[in-house]
Amino acid sequence: MRTGLLLVTCWRRLSTAWCNMSSTCGIKYLNQEEAQGIDEELFSEYKFSIDQLMELAGLSCAQVIAKTYPLEGLPRGPGNVLVVCGPGNNGGDGLVCARHLKHYGYRPTIFYPKRPDKDLFQRLTIQCEKMGIPFLYDLPKDVNLLQGNHNLVVDALFGFSFKGPVRPQFMDVLTRMKEMKIPVVSIDIPSGWHVDNGDPEGLNPECLISLTAPKLCAKFFKGKYHFLGGRFIPFTLEEKYELNLPKFNGSDTFVQLPILQESPTSPSTEEKGEA
């Protein structure tokens, strides 16, 4: 009798694990054109605002970080986190993420080397400043100093609209992030990667948080943790693009994805940078 119950229990656990695994195996990985098309439809057809999507994306990123790197497990300072923000929408996601991390008890510091003049980014910056989040105006060249004062780095430099090569202003930042031994968490795309082909010699984050749906380059991610965040895609849009998104648990805004670890190719050097 006990053997029968044990077999039933094991079968149920295996079935549950298989269902969870299979729900992520068929997920679609987007190329750059598809990702841009979905973004455009969210704005034009579904009437989302950039503010809305940034808030939802940044919130989910902060929640992933809180789950994966809980405060009680961080060795340096009371939750010191460095958030590196770029000039585009990915940087806006980083600003929102930093604000929510502050609410969760972390102590984020933001490095924002090229601030856009747009009202949206100015408002996001003021919100962080009013929360008492400090901004660095220069990133120390001593990598040991950076990683000695922070537990992890949030990479919000470039998103899926990026086209290389990286300009010198940001190359120094990427080089320092690559040299750090503390975990790097990349938002949507590891900065500097070709969105479709990845970059075998580029940034190697420990954690990747894909937004909307994973991009093709996420197939080449070789870190420890891959999540899908930003639970905001309308069902009709998901069906149109055949995204086959995994099921989110309850009210969670993120879900963990498998790590495929395919072999990337070198990014094109013919394209121009966005920044």
Side-chain angles (χ1 to χ4, degrees):
M1 185 70 175
R2 290 182 178 178
T3 303
L5 288 173
L6 181 61
L7 287 172
V8 170
T9 301
C10 290
W11 172 251
R12 286 176 177 173
R13 289 177 179 175
L14 286 171
S15 298
T16 300
W18 171 253
C19 288
N20 290 338
M21 184 181 297
S22 62
S23 70
T24 60
C25 285
I27 187 171
K28 184 173 184 179
Y29 286 69
L30 303 175
N31 62 35
Q32 189 173 49
E33 184 178 349
E34 290 169 327
Q36 290 172 337
I38 290 174
D39 236 30
E40 289 172 4
E41 286 199 41
L42 285 170
F43 297 137
S44 61
E45 301 296 326
Y46 292 87
K47 305 305 178 184
F48 280 89
S49 66
I50 297 179
D51 303 54
Q52 279 181 287
L53 296 185
M54 279 187 183
E55 192 66 30
L56 293 169
L59 172 63
S60 68
C61 290
Q63 291 177 341
V64 167
I65 292 169
K67 174 182 175 62
T68 311
Y69 305 98
L71 277 170
E72 57 271 18
L74 299 180
R76 299 176 185 86
N80 293 354
V81 175
L82 177 63
V83 184
V84 180
C85 296
N89 292 347
N90 197 257
D93 296 339
L95 293 172
V96 174
C97 176
R99 172 160 43 83
H100 285 289
L101 285 175
K102 180 75 172 183
H103 279 293
Y104 297 162
Y106 293 78
R107 293 183 60 182
T109 297
I110 297 172
F111 179 56
Y112 199 14
K114 186 178 179 181
R115 303 188 186 189
D117 293 330
K118 294 181 181 179
D119 177 68
L120 168 60
F121 297 100
Q122 291 178 351
R123 286 188 282 112
L124 291 173
T125 300
I126 291 172
Q127 290 164 13
C128 289
E129 291 173 340
K130 295 294 185 182
M131 288 284 294
I133 300 174
F135 282 75
L136 291 178
Y137 290 93
D138 187 29
L139 199 63
K141 294 183 179 181
D142 187 347
V143 174
N144 291 324
L145 178 63
L146 282 171
Q147 60 191 19
N149 291 329
H150 300 93
N151 294 282
L152 58 97
V153 180
V154 179
D155 161 33
L157 204 53
F158 303 125
F160 68 79
S161 61
F162 170 79
K163 293 184 179 181
V166 179
R167 295 186 179 182
Q169 178 183 7
F170 300 104
M171 182 58 74
D172 289 343
V173 181
L174 280 177
T175 299
R176 267 168 265 180
M177 285 199 290
K178 286 171 62 177
E179 292 174 348
M180 291 183 193
K181 304 301 182 184
I182 57 176
V184 174
V185 180
S186 289
I187 295 181
D188 204 21
I189 301 287
S191 288
W193 279 30
H194 188 283
V195 179
D196 296 347
N197 301 328
D199 184 355
E201 299 179 357
L203 190 65
N204 184 29
E206 180 174 282
C207 178
L208 173 62
I209 308 172
S210 295
L211 299 173
T212 304
K215 315 308 180 288
L216 279 175
C217 66
K219 290 186 175 184
F220 315 126
F221 171 66
K222 300 181 186 295
K224 291 183 179 180
Y225 312 105
H226 185 197
F227 293 90
L228 175 65
R231 189 178 179 178
F232 49 71
I233 295 296
F235 299 133
T236 50
L237 193 59
E238 178 184 349
E239 292 173 0
K240 176 180 177 179
Y241 283 87
E242 299 179 335
L243 299 180
N244 193 29
L245 298 178
K247 292 182 179 179
F248 291 81
N249 183 35
S251 59
D252 286 352
T253 62
F254 61 88
V255 61
Q256 193 160 5
L257 299 178
I259 297 173
L260 303 182
Q261 293 194 352
E262 295 185 9
S263 298
T265 57
S266 296
S268 170
T269 58
E270 297 178 357
E271 297 166 323
K272 297 181 179 180
E274 69 170 12

